[in-house]
C-alpha cells in the first residue's frame, strides 16, 4: 500500500472526522489519499485558526482534533495553536509536511527544524522516516494526545516517505480504563473533610474534560458543601445552585475570595496550576486536597497537603459514598457571600447607557442563550466580566482560554463548537482586537454554511491592557486603534452584518440572529470607562463589607 494511503487508514481507525488546515505541495500525496476517505478535509484561511479549531474539537469531544499544514511557514503558523492545546489540556494532532528526507534538490529552501520547534509545545513530536512506522507513530500520537493530561502532539510526514510503498499493518486501539484512586487515600480525604469546619469545593478544568458533573452533583447534594469554580471549570455544576459561590475571575479581592479566605479546607476537583491560579496558598493558610488524574505540579502558590490521584469522577464517587454530612460544618458565612454576589450581579444588568455597559451585555447574552447554548470567548477584558457574571448552566457551555490566554481563538473555537453540536445555539464573543486576529475565518464559516453569531465588542482599543495600564496608574498610551466598518466587512464575506445603536436593541437582535440561518456579525460598541473603578476598586471595597 502507498504510505499516504496507510496514514489515512490509520486516521480512519482513530475515527477522525475532520482535518482542518492548508495543504502545501509536500502534502499532496496525503491530500490525494484523503480524497476517498471518511475523513473530511476542511480548508481554513490560516493555519493558526485550523489549530484552534482542532484543539477545541478535541476539548469538546475528548478525541484528538487533527490539523494539517505544509513545512516551514505553514508549520510555524501552528506554534500558538500548539501552545493553546498543550496548556489548555486539549487533545490535538498536528500533521506537517516536509521536503524529501532521502534526496532533495532544493537545498535548505523552506527548511526549519519543525520537530525540534514543536518539542517544548507538545507531548510528542516525531518525523516519520519510513512508511512501516506509520501504524505505531499514529497510534502513539493519539494515545499521548488523549491520555490525561491531554495536549498537543505532532507528526512530520515527509514527501518521499508519503509516496513510498509499505506492507505494515494498523495497530488497533487497546481497550483501557483509567486507574482509580487508592482506598487509603480516599479514607484520608474523607477524614480531612469530616474534620474540617468550613470546607469548600473548587471545580477546575479537568472536571470539565470528563463526565464528572453527575458525581459532583451527588457529592454536593449529599454534603451541602458550597462550591466555586475556576474559569475553565465553569458549568460542571449549574451555577444557579444556591451553593454556588461563582467563578474566580480576578486574582484576589473578589467576593469569592472572601469565601476562600474563610475556608479551612479546599477540596480541589480538577484544577492544576497551568490555569491561572484562582487563589494563592500561603504557609499556615488553608489546607487543600488535590483530586486529579495526576499529582500536583510543585508551585510556590499551590502545595496541597493531600492528593487523591486517579480517575476524577471515580474519586469523587468514592468520597461521596464514604462521607457523612457533619453537623459541625458551618456554611453560614459562605451563604452570606452568595447573597452579596446575587445582589452585586444585578448591579448594572439593566443599565441603559450606550455604548453598552459590560454587566448589561452579559445579562443580555445570558437571557437569549438557551441552557445548552455555547459561548466561545476570545481574550480581552470582557472575559473577566463573563467569567464573573455569566451563570453557566451546563458543562462546557462557556469556552474560554485561561491557560495560554491567547487572542484570536474566539471565532475558531465557536466554529469547532458549531461542528460538534450542530443543533445548539453558538455565539463567538470577541474584542475588536482579538476578532481581527482571525477574522479571515469568516470566509470559512460562510463557505461551510454555519449558523453562527459573532459579537464584536468595539472599544477601538486593546481594552484589557488599557485597564491594566490604568490599574498601574500609568497615563493612557499606545493602546488605541481604528477599525473597519464591521457591518460592511461582514457583508463583504457574504455574512450578515448588524450594528447595535441602543442598548435595548441588543437582546432582540441577538435573538433574531440566533434563529436566522447563516453567519451573523454584530458590532457592539462597549463602554469600558468604569472597568478600572469597578474591577480594580469597587469590588474589593464591597467584598470587605461581608
Ligand atoms: C496573541 C496575543 N497577543 C497579545 C495578548 C495580550 N493581550 C491580552 S488582552 C489584549 C487586548 C485585547 O483587546 P480586544 O480583543 O480588543 O479586547 P478588549 O480587552 O478591548 O475587550 C492583549 C493585547 C494576548 N493575550 N494574546
Ligand atoms: Mg477592544
Amino acid at each position: 500500500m502507498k504510505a499516504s494511503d496507510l496514514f489515512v487508514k490509520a486516521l480512519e481507525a482513530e475515527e477522525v472526522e475532520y482535518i482542518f488546515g492548508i495543504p502545501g505541495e509536500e502534502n499532496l500525496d496525503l491530500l490525494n489519499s484523503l480524497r476517498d476517505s471518511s475523513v473530511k478535509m476542511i480548508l481554513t484561511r490560516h493555519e493558526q485558526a485550523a489549530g484552534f479549531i482542532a484543539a477545541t474539537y478535541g476539548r469538546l469531544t475528548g478525541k484528538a482534533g487533527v490539523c494539517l499544514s505544509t513545512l516551514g511557514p505553514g508549520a510555524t503558523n501552528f506554534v500558538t495553536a500548539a501552545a493553546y492545546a498543550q496548556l489548555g489540556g486539549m487533545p490535538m494532532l498536528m500533521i506537517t509536511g516536509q521536503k524529501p528526507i532521502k534526496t532533495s534538490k532544493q537545498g535548505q529552501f523552506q527548511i526549519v527544524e519543525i520537530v525540534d520547534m514543536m518539542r517544548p509545545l507538545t507531548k510528542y513530536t516525531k518525523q516519520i522516516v519510513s512508511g512501516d512506522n506509520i501504524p505505531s507513530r499514529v497510534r502513539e500520537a493519539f494515545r499521548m494526545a488523549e491520555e490525561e493530561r491531554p495536549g498537543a502532539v505532532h507528526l512530520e510526514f515527509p514527501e518521499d516517505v508519503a509516496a513510498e510503498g509499505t506492507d505494515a499493518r494498523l495497530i488497533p486501539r487497546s481497550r483501557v480504563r483509567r486507574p482509580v484512586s487508592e482506598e487509603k487515600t480516599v479514607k484520608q480525604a474523607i477524614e480531612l473533610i469530616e474534620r474540617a469546619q468550613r470546607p469548600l469545593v473548587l471545580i477546575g478544568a479537568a472536571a470539565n474534560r470528563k463526565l464528572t458533573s453527575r458525581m459532583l452533583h451527588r457529592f454536593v447534594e449529599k454534603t451541602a458543601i458550597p462550591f466555586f469554580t475556576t474559569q475553565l471549570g465553569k458549568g460542571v455544576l449549574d451555577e444557579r445552585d444556591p451553593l454556588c459561590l461563582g467563578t474566580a475571575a480576578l486574582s484576589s479581592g473578589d467576593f469569592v475570595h472572601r469565601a476562600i479566605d474563610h475556608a479551612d479546607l479546599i477540596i480541589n476537583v480538577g484544577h492544576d496550576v497551568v490555569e491561572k491560579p484562582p487563589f494563592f496558598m500561603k504557609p499556615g493558610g488553608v489546607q487543600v486536597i488535590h483530586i486529579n488524574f495526576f499529582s500536583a505540579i510543585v508551585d510556590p502558590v499551590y502545595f496541597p497537603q493531600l492528593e487523591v490521584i486517579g480517575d476524577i469522577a471515580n474519586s469523587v464517587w468514592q468520597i461521596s459514598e464514604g462521607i457523612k454530612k457533619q453537623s459541625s460544618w458551618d456554611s453560614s458565612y459562605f451563604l452570606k457571600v452568595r447573597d452579596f454576589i446575587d445582589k452585586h450581579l444585578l448591579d448594572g444588568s439593566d443599565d441603559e447607557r450606550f455604548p453598552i455597559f459590560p454587566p448589561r451585555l452579559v445579562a443580555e447574552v445570558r437571557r437569549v442563550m438557551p441552557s445548552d447554548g455555547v459561548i466561545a470567548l476570545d481574550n480581552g477584558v470582557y472575559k473577566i466580566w463573563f467569567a464573573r457574571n455569566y451563570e453557566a448552566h451546563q458543562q462546557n457551555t462557556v469556552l474560554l482560554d485561561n491557560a495560554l490566554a491567547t487572542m484570536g481563538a474566539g471565532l475558531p473555537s465557536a466554529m469547532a463548537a458549531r461542528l460538534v453540536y450542530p443543533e445548539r445555539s453558538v455565539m463567538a464573543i470577541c474584542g475588536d482586537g482579538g476578532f481581527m486576529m482571525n477574522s479571515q475565518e469568516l470566509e470559512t464559516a460562510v463557505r461551510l454554511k454555519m449558523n453562527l453569531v459573532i459579537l464584536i465588542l468595539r472599544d477601538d482599543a486593546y481594552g484589557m491592557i488599557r485597564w491594566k495600564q490604568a490599574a498601574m496608574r500609568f497615563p493612557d498610551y499606545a493602546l488605541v486603534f481604528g477599525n473597519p466598518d464591521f457591518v460592511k466587512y461582514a457583508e463583504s464575506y457574504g455574512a450578515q452584518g448588524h450594528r447595535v445603536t441602543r442598548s435595548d436593541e441588543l437582546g432582540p437582535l441577538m435573538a433574531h440572529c440566533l434563529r436566522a440561518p447563516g453567519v451573523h456579525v454584530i458590532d457592539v460598541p462597549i463602554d469600558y470607562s468604569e472597568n478600572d473603578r469597578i474591577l480594580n476598586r469597587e469590588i474589593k471595597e464591597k467584598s470587605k463589607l461581608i
Side-chain angles (χ1 to χ4, degrees):
M1 189 187 288
K2 190 174 163 188
S4 59
D5 287 343
L6 181 65
F7 196 101
V8 171
K9 290 261 174 286
L11 297 179
E12 285 179 329
E14 301 289 342
E15 294 173 14
V16 173
E17 291 181 278
Y18 305 106
I19 297 184
F20 307 97
I22 305 177
E25 55 182 302
E26 292 70 23
N27 311 111
L28 286 174
D29 284 297
L30 183 64
L31 197 64
N32 202 48
S33 300
L34 281 169
R35 193 187 298 271
D36 296 317
S37 75
S38 60
V39 183
K40 260 197 224 97
M41 176 71 212
I42 295 190
L43 278 190
T44 60
R45 307 307 301 271
H46 196 296
E47 291 87 353
Q48 186 188 85
F52 288 151
I53 299 174
T56 305
Y57 174 93
R59 171 181 185 169
L60 294 175
T61 61
K63 299 193 302 181
V66 183
C67 52
L68 172 76
S69 82
T70 188
L71 78 176
T76 54
N77 271 349
F78 272 155
V79 163
T80 304
Y84 173 77
Q86 182 74 349
L87 268 59
M90 311 179 201
M92 173 176 75
L93 165 63
M94 295 169 283
I95 303 165
T96 61
Q98 190 51 281
K99 294 256 185 260
I101 49 175
K102 293 168 196 165
T103 54
S104 171
K105 295 190 193 120
Q106 299 206 14
Q108 293 300 303
F109 177 62
Q110 289 192 303
I111 301 282
V112 175
E113 291 294 345
I114 299 299
V115 173
D116 286 349
M117 178 191 81
M118 287 293 183
R119 194 148 286 128
L121 303 171
T122 53
K123 296 173 77 179
Y124 178 78
T125 171
K126 280 273 186 240
Q127 182 183 65
I128 297 180
V129 294
S130 148
D132 295 349
N133 287 343
I134 289 171
S136 57
R137 294 285 188 248
V138 172
R139 183 76 277 278
E140 181 66 354
F142 277 87
R143 181 185 77 81
M144 293 288 276
E146 292 172 3
E147 185 174 88
E148 282 289 338
R149 188 175 191 274
V153 297
H154 166 244
L155 290 175
E156 181 176 74
F157 195 21
E159 210 181 323
D160 50 353
V161 181
E164 74 185 22
T166 169
D167 39 41
R169 286 171 165 255
L170 295 182
I171 301 175
R173 279 172 174 257
S174 356
R175 265 177 299 151
V176 60
R177 302 274 299 167
R178 279 186 293 275
V180 295
S181 50
E182 186 266 350
E183 206 177 314
K184 273 192 196 144
T185 337
V186 170
K187 237 186 180 155
Q188 286 176 21
I190 293 172
E191 274 167 28
L192 260 183
I193 301 170
E194 289 185 344
R195 257 191 288 136
Q197 310 273 303
R198 298 172 308 277
L200 198 55
V201 174
L202 161 63
I203 302 172
N208 233 342
R209 286 202 288 271
K210 299 281 165 6
L211 297 172
T212 313
S213 59
R214 227 178 35 178
M215 296 304 161
L216 258 173
H217 184 76
R218 243 166 69 183
F219 176 80
V220 168
E221 210 169 43
K222 179 169 179 189
T223 59
I225 297 177
F227 64 91
F228 70 105
T229 77
T230 70
Q231 297 191 35
L232 289 168
K234 270 185 97 64
V236 176
L237 294 183
D238 190 335
E239 296 183 64
R240 290 170 293 186
D241 190 317
L243 291 171
C244 177
L245 306 182
T247 300
L250 300 169
S251 302
S252 61
D254 205 341
F255 296 93
V256 66
H257 296 105
R258 300 287 294 160
I260 295 166
D261 292 343
H262 189 75
D264 64 348
L265 177 72
I266 289 181
I267 307 156
N268 167 13
V269 185
H271 167 65
D272 67 78
V273 291
V274 182
E275 177 170 9
K276 190 173 178 182
F279 69 97
F280 310 121
M281 286 184 76
K282 298 182 226 30
V286 67
Q287 299 237 351
V288 174
I289 303 178
H290 172 93
I291 303 177
N292 215 320
F293 297 98
F294 45 87
S295 53
I297 300 169
V298 176
D299 191 276
V301 299
Y302 187 67
F303 40 90
Q305 284 77 11
L306 178 68
E307 305 197 23
V308 182
I309 306 306
D311 180 78
I312 293 194
N314 179 280
S315 297
V316 174
W317 173 76
Q318 287 196 59
I319 295 172
S320 267
E321 287 294 291
I323 203 159
K324 288 192 192 68
K325 190 173 172 179
Q326 303 293 305
S327 55
S328 50
W329 288 337
D330 181 4
S331 294
S332 52
Y333 183 83
F334 299 140
L335 299 178
K336 205 164 125 196
V337 171
R338 166 80 197 199
D339 284 344
F340 269 73
I341 294 173
D342 279 344
K343 277 195 207 90
H344 178 73
L345 287 187
L346 289 176
D347 262 8
S349 62
D350 52 3
D351 191 287
E352 286 179 0
R353 83 184 70 175
F354 188 81
I356 200 158
F357 193 42
R360 170 82 187 262
L361 167 77
V362 177
E364 292 289 349
V365 173
R366 184 62 280 184
R367 274 195 279 270
V368 297
M369 286 307 276
S371 285
D372 68 351
V374 177
I375 59 169
L377 307 181
D378 205 280
N379 219 65
V381 68
Y382 53 88
K383 188 177 90 176
I384 297 176
W385 284 107
F386 274 91
R388 288 186 81 256
N389 294 31
Y390 187 89
E391 283 185 335
H393 301 168
Q394 290 183 22
Q395 189 157 21
N396 275 324
T397 52
V398 179
L399 301 181
L400 51 74
D401 168 17
N402 199 31
L404 182 65
T406 182
M407 293 165 74
L411 173 58
S413 59
M415 290 164 66
R418 171 79 291 144
L419 290 171
V420 175
Y421 307 123
E423 305 304 324
R424 297 203 199 170
S425 296
V426 177
M427 190 185 283
I429 302 175
C430 308
D432 43 6
F435 172 73
M436 288 302 283
M437 287 197 182
N438 272 315
S439 64
Q440 76 286 343
E441 300 309 326
L442 280 177
E443 189 282 316
T444 310
V446 169
R447 174 165 30 93
L448 295 177
K449 300 191 167 42
M450 288 185 162
N451 297 331
L452 205 58
V453 178
I454 302 153
L455 297 191
I456 303 175
L457 309 177
R458 180 160 59 82
D459 66 334
D460 299 310
Y462 292 117
M464 172 88 171
I465 311 303
R466 254 184 137 187
W467 168 61
K468 299 246 164 160
Q469 193 176 51
M472 292 171 76
R473 300 288 165 254
F474 288 130
D476 193 16
Y477 175 65
L479 290 163
V480 173
F481 49 67
N483 272 310
D485 177 330
F486 285 121
V487 174
K488 288 190 189 148
Y489 187 72
E491 286 167 358
S492 72
Y493 280 99
Q496 299 186 52
H498 311 268
R499 178 167 296 121
V500 178
T501 57
R502 290 162 48 115
S503 49
D504 58 5
E505 281 172 9
L506 178 64
L509 179 59
M510 287 190 297
H512 160 77
C513 293
L514 285 169
R515 276 194 312 267
V519 176
H520 294 264
V521 174
I522 309 181
D523 173 4
V524 186
I526 189 150
D527 181 349
Y528 280 155
S529 61
E530 297 208 60
N531 277 346
D532 178 44
R533 184 184 67 76
I534 300 173
L535 297 177
N536 291 334
R537 283 171 284 150
E538 183 185 278
I539 286 171
K540 292 190 174 89
E541 282 152 22
K542 283 197 173 164
S543 68
K544 278 198 196 120
L545 303 175
I546 305 177

